[in-house]
């Protein structure tokens, strides 16, 4: 097996046994990026030269016993809306094209404390607004399974880089499915933690009450290990929750006997692709054989969650993106006659069409006369969604639904139809609305060989439960052993 095909856990084992050195691993990934990046376009900023130097320095320190730690020298990729000191953080936008962050996000401080090696900043939909990574200012990222298809979004660069073995694991962010959907499309594991479990300090805000940083990895064990690193209370983030720390990797028991899994029938209704449904039903049967207790029930929240989500998310985006005015650290137009024109032209030229669309919608629902009719009502619906989930978790340990209604679609097929693109989020947004944890893992492939994602939703701060459920299924299915990206290119 090639070095870049190994999971982080396997890399650690080979480092311990001295079968591999940090230099070997970093070189393998640098070579892989050089080989595949032109096809996939997963990176905004490649840091392989810096990574190679850091690997040499790190190896010397380890050899001298100066550096210890389970993850010292392990490479990682970072979504380009997470601030990294001294490196561009562009959010894949013209507005921040040349912005070099003067500080590290809290998650980056934790990554650096572990002495990991940053291979680069990964492409995304501009300001995390989109579900296909076609809305990047720089270029669309392509799906390693089929280069004519999207990798999902907004963390499409992170998911594609992991799937293409250009990074062993990556950080993404999830506002309405932006970790889970690309993980589903790219056949990897994507975990959206409970809101408040991972610090948002240094994450460029899209919708502050919904955003959450999380791991995208090759398998569930790696997701648990990366969550161990990034989870924890942070005084710099007022929404960060101070709870007792868990060892998520130790929670992977490989046993689901007696686990109560709820299957909401509304998530398998019209609009869900038949092949996706079939793979989900196969997954349900597999859980039954593994000893889980399965029950169908009613959770009629999907359509209400979607409407509520887009009102709340756009309202918060309108507020958060007001800071990008052409005055401070952002793009500034070349010609203007007065301050008003400076604002107008800088924002008109600096933001892409999808970001403008959401700012306009968000400003509208927050405006006088419409606030009560839209924004306030959406927040009431949000409470109802939370209450419905609370009722469900009185009876079930895990809720099992599709991650996406479809597999990855063709590049360009939905980018000119915003409504169709928004509807693709119908299975994921309710998790963000309620602040719950959700994980997407592959559960098979369709007739064209494209991955199908299964989503497991847990109660708040029950990441250990969904990780173990996902791990048990993964160990039984052995998806990675049987399916690999083919980098197909249709003519």
């Amino acid at each position: 097996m090639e070095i870049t095909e190994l999971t982080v856990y396997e890399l650690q084992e080979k480092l311990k046994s001295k079968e591999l050195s940090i230099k070997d691993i970093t070189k393998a990934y640098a070579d892989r990026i050089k080989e595949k990046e032109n096809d996939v376009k997963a990176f905004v900023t490649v840091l392989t030269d810096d990574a190679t130097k850091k690997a040499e320095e790190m190896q010397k320190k380890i050899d001298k016993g100066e550096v210890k730690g389970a993850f010292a020298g392990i490479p990682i990729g970072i979504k380009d809306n997470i601030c990294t000191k001294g490196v561009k953080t562009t959010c894949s936008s013209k507005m921040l094209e040349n912005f070099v962050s003067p500080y590290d996000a809290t998650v980056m401080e934790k990554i650096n404390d572990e002495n990991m090696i940053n291979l680069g900043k990964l492409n995304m939909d501009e300001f995390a607004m989109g579900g296909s990574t076609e809305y990047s200012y720089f270029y669309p990222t392509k799906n390693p399974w089929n280069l004519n298809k999207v990798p999902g979004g907004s963390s499409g660069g992170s998911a594609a880089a992991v799937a293409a073995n250009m990074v062993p694991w990556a950080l993404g962010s999830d506002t309405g499915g932006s970790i889970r959907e690309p993980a589903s499309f790219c056949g990897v594991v994507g975990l959206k933690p409970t809101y408040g479990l991972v610090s948002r300090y240094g994450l460029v805000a899209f919708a502050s009450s919904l955003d959450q940083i999380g791991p995208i990895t090759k398998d569930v064990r790696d997701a648990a290990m990366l969550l161990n690193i990034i989870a924890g209370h942070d005084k710099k983030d007022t929404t960060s929750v101070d709870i007792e720390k868990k060892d998520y990797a130790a929670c992977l028991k490989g046993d689901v006997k007696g686990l109560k899994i709820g299957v909401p029938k509304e998530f398998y209704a019209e609009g869900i692709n038949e092949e996706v449904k079939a793979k989900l039903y196969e997954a349900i049967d597999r859980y039954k054989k593994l000893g889980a207790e399965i029950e169908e029930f009613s959770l009629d929240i999907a359509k209400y969650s979607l409407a509520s989500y887009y009102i709340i998310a756009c309202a918060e985006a309108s507020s958060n993106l007001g800071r990008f005015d052409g005055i401070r650290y952002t793009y500034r137009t070349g010609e203007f006659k007065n301050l008003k024109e400076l604002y107008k032209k800088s924002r008109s030229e600096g933001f892409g069409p999808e970001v403008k669309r959401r700012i306009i919608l968000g400003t509208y629902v927050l405006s006088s006369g419409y606030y009560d009719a839209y924004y306030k009502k959406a927040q009431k619906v949000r409470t109802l969604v939370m209450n419905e989930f609370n009722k469900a978790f009185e009876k079930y340990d895990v809720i099992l639904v599709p991650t996406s209604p479809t597999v990855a679609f063709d590049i360009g097929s939905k980018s000119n139809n915003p409504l169709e693109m928004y509807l693709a989020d119908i299975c994921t947004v309710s998790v963000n609305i309620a602040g719950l944890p959700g994980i997407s893992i592959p559960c098979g492939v369709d007739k064209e060989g494209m991955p199908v994602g299964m989503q497991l939703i847990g109660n708040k701060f029950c990441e250990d439960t969904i990780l173990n459920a996902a791990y048990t299924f993964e160990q039984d299915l052995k998806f990675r052993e049987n399916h690999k990206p083919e980098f197909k290119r249709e003519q």
Side-chain angles (χ1 to χ4, degrees), residues 41 107 132 174 176 204 209 263 269 288 303 340 349 355 361 430 442 450 478:
K41 296 288 184 187
V107 290
S132 64
D174 192 311
V204 180
S209 73
V263 179
K288 285 178 184 174
K303 58 188 175 186
K340 186 176 179 181
E349 294 166 15
V355 175
L361 178 58
S430 55
M450 295 304 293
K478 302 189 185 324

Side-chain angles (χ1 to χ4, degrees), residues 87-379:
V87 178
K88 282 184 183 180
T89 300
T90 71
C91 293
S92 291
S93 176
K94 183 177 181 179
M95 187 62 84
L96 290 174
E97 184 177 7
N98 296 307
F99 172 65
V100 176
S101 177
Y103 72 101
D104 273 323
T106 296
V107 290
M108 283 310 302
E109 289 177 355
K110 293 185 174 191
I111 294 296
N112 293 335
D113 286 346
E114 293 288 339
N115 292 299
M116 280 194 245
I117 295 173
N118 184 4
L119 290 172
K121 304 299 290 292
L122 296 159
N123 200 22
M124 56 185 281
D125 285 299
E126 184 182 5
F127 283 104
M129 298 180 194
S132 64
T133 316
E134 292 172 283
Y135 296 130
S136 167
Y137 166 65
F138 302 108
Y139 32 72
T141 296
K142 296 169 185 177
N143 193 316
W145 292 77
N146 185 324
L147 298 172
N148 295 90
K149 296 187 183 290
V150 302
S154 63
S155 306
S158 298
V162 173
N165 294 324
M166 293 195 285
V167 296
W169 55 7
L171 289 181
S173 69
D174 192 311
T175 307
S178 290
I179 285 173
R180 289 159 289 151
E181 190 228 40
S184 172
F185 284 5
C186 292
V188 293
V189 174
L191 173 66
K192 181 260 168 200
T194 304
Y195 184 79
L197 183 66
V198 178
S199 173
R200 292 184 303 109
Y201 179 78
L203 173 69
V204 180
F206 163 13
S208 303
S209 73
L210 302 165
D211 298 339
Q212 190 62 80
I213 295 170
I216 295 178
T217 59
K218 293 178 182 177
D219 72 355
V220 175
R221 186 189 291 275
D222 281 3
M225 293 194 303
L226 189 48
L227 184 62
N228 275 345
I229 295 166
I230 63 174
H233 182 243
D234 179 16
K235 291 178 182 177
K236 291 178 283 191
D237 175 8
T238 55
T239 61
S240 176
V241 180
D242 191 0
I243 61 167
E244 187 178 344
K245 204 161 170 63
K246 295 178 182 178
D247 182 348
Y248 297 103
C251 298
L252 307 180
K253 306 295 184 187
D255 183 6
V256 291
K257 288 184 179 69
L259 186 78
K260 293 177 181 173
I261 300 178
V263 179
K265 58 188 178 184
E266 290 84 1
F267 282 78
Y268 295 79
E270 189 181 349
I272 307 297
N273 176 275
E274 290 302 320
E275 286 191 69
V276 169
K277 254 192 246 186
K279 288 299 169 188
L280 266 291
Y281 287 131
E282 285 177 20
I284 290 166
D285 287 339
R286 191 176 290 271
Y287 269 119
K288 285 178 184 174
K289 289 173 185 171
L290 289 167
E293 297 173 16
I294 309 287
E295 185 175 293
E296 190 176 77
F297 75 109
S298 181
L299 187 67
D300 191 17
I301 58 167
K303 58 188 175 186
Y304 307 110
S305 296
L306 192 67
S308 174
Y309 167 81
Y310 274 101
I311 289 170
I312 294 167
C314 292
E316 293 184 13
S318 168
S319 176
N320 279 323
L321 270 61
R323 71 192 71 174
F324 301 113
D325 53 11
I327 300 292
R328 287 162 283 192
Y329 46 81
T330 60
Y331 169 82
R332 176 182 290 192
T333 187
E335 296 181 14
F336 55 93
K337 295 173 186 172
N338 52 47
L339 187 62
K340 186 176 179 181
E341 191 172 312
L342 168 62
Y343 289 154
K344 185 177 178 180
K345 288 182 76 175
S346 295
R347 287 170 67 82
S348 296
E349 294 166 15
F351 288 134
E354 181 58 27
V355 175
K356 289 177 191 172
R357 189 179 293 122
R358 299 199 191 196
I359 290 172
I360 290 166
L361 178 58
T363 305
Y364 176 80
V365 300
L366 288 175
S367 60
S368 178
Y370 297 102
Y371 179 90
D372 286 350
Y374 294 104
Y375 185 73
K376 193 174 178 182
K377 193 173 282 185
Q379 291 289 13

